[in-house]
Every structure is written in structure tokens, then in C-alpha cells.
Amino acid sequence: MDVYEAVDSRRAVRAFSDEPVPRDVLERVLVTATRTPSSGNLQPWHVYVVTGEPLAELKRRATARALVGDPGDEREYPMYPAELTSPYLDRFSAAAAQRYEALGIERDDPARPAKIAALNLAAFGAPVVLFCYLDRTMGPGQWGDAGMYLQTVMLLLRAEGLHSCPQVMWTMYRETVSQTVGADDELVLFCGVSVGFEEEGVPRLRTGRADMTETVSFVGA
């Protein structure tokens, strides 16, 4: 597919089949993604690809923590600003409502947090999860580089007929992840990205996007 089709068809999939992802496909994607732009060519990302029994064990351990009410590890960076205002809060609320409905979880369900965590920590059934880390010495510019890198990876996955779901939820159970991948204390977990083939026959969630005129201004044109 061309790049426009890859961008338009990329979405956060939350229902994967158990069909394995060939290693050569993952390697092709990750080799090509090394061409991602990086300020000063620092290439600050450190990626661990977890699959097979190590991933199954990680899912079991992390899910068990969530289901007993474990609030997770202390956050190393905020997922969102402390005070979201419009239009950001409006977009967040609308997307959350769509997401809960697609997952079959009522917003007023008292067990909602545990259910959401369990689904996330099962990686929505994905057979592969990529964990992206950055060195603690890196700053905002390098975090931006890591975002560009992961977007490149996700678009290349679409070109291979695969889907993905970036998940910051994994940072809440970062100690369990680090024990699995062997990341040292000098690295900060940015997020996990679940990878696989989409499961057929499940509702497909496609969240709305702001009109371009809300976020883009042309100057001098």
C-alpha cells in the first residue's frame, strides 16, 4: 500500500488474532524504521521485541497484578497534563466513550479500571509486543524522536498487512516489564506497542479526528 493508505488505515486495534507474526517481517520493519529522522542523529530509542512464552508469562504476571487491585508502579512521567481543558478534554472524553463502548465496558461499572487494565495487559491478544525505552539522560527532543520512530514502525507494519496498538498502560507495570526484557535502571519505559493481525468479526473502532482547520494555520499562502 502507498503511504497515504497506510496512514489512513492505521488505527489502534484492540482485538488481535493469535496468528504468529513472522520474525523476518518484524526485522524488515525495524531495519527500515532506522531511517526515522532523529535530531543530531542520536537515535535514542531502545526496543525490545517480546513474543512466545516470555510474552505469555509477562501477560500472566502483569494481568494478575491488575486483577488483585494492584495500582501499578509509580509513574516516571505523566500520561496527560494534570488539568486538561477544551478542546483537548472534549476530544479525550469522546474517544474514551467510544473505546469503552467498543470494549463492552460500561462507564459506570465499578470494576471498569481493573477490566481495562486486564485487557491492556493481555495486549488485546497480540502475539508480539514492542517495548520502547529511552535513556534517562534524554530530553523532550529525544522523546519526540521516539514518537516519530514508533509512528514509522506502525506505518511500516500496515504496509506488511499488520496492525498495532500503542499502549502507555504498560508503564504502570514497568517493573514487571523490565524483569522480562532485562532493561537496566538507566532506561525509562516510553510505551509498549502490541503487534499482530486483526481478529476478524469484532467491532472495529475508528475514533474521530479534529478537522484540519482546527489544528492547522496557513501563513503566507
Side-chain angles (χ1 to χ4, degrees):
M1 64 180 68
D2 69 21
V3 66
Y4 281 90
E5 184 179 355
V7 171
D8 188 60
S9 64
R10 189 220 63 79
R11 54 194 169 81
V13 164
R14 293 180 172 84
F16 293 92
S17 75
D18 58 4
E19 180 179 352
V21 178
R23 176 166 175 156
D24 64 312
V25 172
L26 292 171
E27 290 184 348
R28 182 162 57 245
V29 164
L30 295 171
V31 166
T32 305
T34 63
R35 300 308 307 172
T36 297
S38 170
S39 179
N41 200 31
L42 298 188
Q43 304 168 71
W45 43 83
H46 297 263
V47 177
Y48 296 85
V49 182
V50 186
T51 187
E53 182 52 34
L55 179 59
E57 177 62 16
L58 172 58
K59 289 178 179 181
R60 285 193 290 268
R61 292 175 61 198
T63 301
R65 289 183 63 184
L67 291 178
V68 297
D70 186 334
D73 305 315
E74 182 180 358
R75 287 194 179 276
E76 296 191 290
Y77 73 91
M79 188 182 301
Y80 304 106
E83 296 295 333
L84 276 178
T85 58
S86 294
Y88 315 110
L89 179 59
D90 302 330
R91 295 170 187 164
F92 175 87
S93 299
Q98 286 181 280
R99 206 160 44 239
Y100 298 140
E101 182 179 358
L103 293 173
I105 301 174
E106 298 293 334
R107 288 185 67 95
D108 57 356
D109 184 344
R112 184 183 70 178
K115 290 180 178 179
I116 292 172
L119 286 169
N120 271 274
L121 297 172
F124 303 107
V128 179
V129 180
L130 314 179
F131 292 100
C132 182
Y133 286 79
L134 290 96
D135 193 288
R136 292 185 185 280
T137 61
M138 297 294 105
Q142 290 71 56
W143 286 70
D145 287 348
M148 289 191 286
Y149 171 78
L150 291 178
Q151 173 75 341
T152 300
V153 168
M154 289 186 284
L155 293 180
L156 289 167
L157 290 169
R158 285 301 302 125
E160 297 284 354
L162 293 158
H163 277 284
S164 60
C165 182
Q167 297 173 264
V168 179
M169 170 70 77
W170 284 106
T171 64
M172 296 175 61
Y173 299 87
R174 57 185 173 79
E175 292 184 3
T176 303
V177 176
S178 293
Q179 290 165 6
T180 298
V181 304
D184 63 44
D185 291 339
E186 299 308 310
L187 297 178
V188 177
L189 179 58
F190 179 21
C191 72
V193 179
S194 294
V195 177
F197 294 96
E198 184 174 20
E199 184 176 353
E200 297 296 328
V202 298
R204 294 184 174 183
L205 172 64
R206 186 174 175 85
T207 54
R209 290 294 187 267
D211 188 84
M212 184 197 73
T213 58
E214 294 182 37
T215 59
V216 177
S217 298
F218 286 89
V219 180

